[in-house]
Amino acid sequence: MKGEEFLAVAKAMLPLRTEAAFRSAISRAYYALFNSAALLLRELGIAIVQSPSGHGDLKHFLFNCGVAQAMDFARVLDELRTKRNLADYNMETAIFQNQNDCSWLVAKAEIAIKTLVTFKHEPLRTQIQTGIQDYERKIKYS
């Protein structure tokens, strides 16, 4: 299975027009983005642990690799992770009652996944890979 398949599920949830569907759509959109990025980093030889810390690692690797497009991607990933946590764990918040807001978040995930595809091509591929490796060495020795 590919992470992008979760995006199709997220889109299918939106027309249900219920808060539960909107919350589920945000969760699936985040995991579409996270799993797609984790696969790319694994393809680059960067290990992402399959635990809660892997979510933060992925964001930090991309944010600190020195490539502007990867930093932008990391910001969207972080925003969706924050919203996913709210959607899954904070039943009191009312921010998931608006279909337009939730649709926009799903669309942001879709745009980010399309951007991620550009990271597979040179020169971005090598720039991101090298930047992450440099960042890993930096944090290892600090």
Side-chain angles (χ1 to χ4, degrees):
M1 181 175 155
K2 293 186 177 185
E4 294 92 342
E5 294 177 51
F6 282 133
L7 189 61
V9 174
K11 289 177 173 181
M13 302 295 274
L14 293 172
L16 298 177
R17 301 179 59 87
T18 66
E19 184 176 351
F22 297 156
R23 287 173 178 270
S24 297
I26 300 310
S27 184
R28 295 301 88 199
Y30 168 73
Y31 278 109
L33 197 53
F34 171 80
N35 284 303
S36 297
L39 175 61
L40 172 67
L41 266 57
R42 284 193 302 275
E43 290 171 354
L44 296 177
I46 310 295
I48 299 296
V49 295
Q50 294 184 352
S51 71
S53 66
H55 295 261
D57 291 345
L58 180 63
K59 176 189 77 170
H60 291 297
F61 287 159
L62 291 169
F63 190 78
N64 291 290
C65 73
V67 176
Q69 297 94 320
M71 293 171 68
D72 291 342
F73 180 92
R75 285 185 192 97
V76 173
L77 182 70
D78 189 48
E79 176 187 7
L80 275 154
R81 183 179 184 200
T82 298
K83 299 292 188 191
R84 197 259 330 156
N85 284 335
L86 286 171
D88 288 347
Y89 302 118
N90 187 338
M91 298 301 110
E92 290 78 34
T93 186
I95 64 173
F96 301 104
Q97 296 175 355
N98 184 303
Q99 184 177 16
N100 290 335
D101 293 343
C102 294
S103 294
W104 171 237
L105 288 169
V106 171
K108 281 179 91 167
E110 183 173 27
I111 292 164
I113 288 170
K114 288 178 181 175
T115 300
L116 190 65
V117 172
T118 68
F119 296 175
K120 296 180 180 188
H121 305 291
E122 296 298 342
L124 285 178
R125 179 183 174 90
T126 298
Q127 291 170 348
I128 291 169
Q129 183 179 39
T130 303
I132 292 172
Q133 290 167 342
D134 290 346
Y135 174 69
E136 283 184 300
R137 279 191 292 279
K138 180 181 168 185
I139 61 174
K140 182 178 180 180
Y141 295 112
S142 57

